[in-house]
Amino acid sequence: MPIESAIETLETICPNVIRQGSMAPTEAYPDRFITYWVADSADQNHYDNAAAATVWEMDVNYYSIDPLETYSALAKAKDSLLASGWIISGKGHDVASDVTTHQGRGFTALYLET
């Protein structure tokens, strides 16, 4: 499945890959981590009343105590996912952090599963 493959790919960039929103409110943030969220998994290319493909849409965010690292690590994550067949446009965007010690950057990745 594309999501498990993407998680394994992201773990090569940072071993802390966490589903967005799954940390307990009292849990301390690791110094650096990646979050993911599957925003959509829409059917695509219908033939004979059946979907012939699925478009997976996943948000990927990188958080770190080092603001510059958010750029370099996110670029590595993008390159690795692109090499695995994901489609990513642009160089990412800032994402909010719930703590002042961490900054984040993210992107949206698409994968066509046929």
Side-chain angles (χ1 to χ4, degrees), residues 13 69-80 82 91 107:
I13 308 301
E69 184 182 37
T70 62
Y71 288 87
S72 60
L74 192 70
K76 289 178 188 174
K78 177 184 175 182
D79 290 345
S80 295
L82 285 170
K91 294 188 181 208
F107 57 71

Side-chain angles (χ1 to χ4, degrees), residues 46-102:
H46 290 80
Y47 300 103
D48 297 326
N49 295 323
T54 302
V55 177
W56 292 91
E57 180 181 339
M58 182 174 65
D59 295 329
V60 176
N61 301 313
Y62 186 87
Y63 296 90
S64 175
I65 58 174
D66 179 352
L68 293 178
E69 184 182 37
T70 62
Y71 288 87
S72 60
L74 192 70
K76 289 178 188 174
K78 177 184 175 182
D79 290 345
S80 295
L81 288 175
L82 285 170
S84 299
W86 288 80
I87 301 165
I88 303 160
S89 179
K91 294 188 181 208
H93 53 268
D94 288 344
V95 291
S97 174
D98 293 330
V99 297
T100 59
T101 56
H102 288 67

Side-chain angles (χ1 to χ4, degrees), residues 26-46:
T26 57
E27 191 174 352
Y29 279 21
D31 286 347
R32 59 198 43 81
F33 61 100
I34 295 173
T35 65
Y36 69 94
W37 181 258
V38 180
D40 200 8
S41 56
D43 290 342
Q44 185 82 10
N45 300 335
H46 290 80

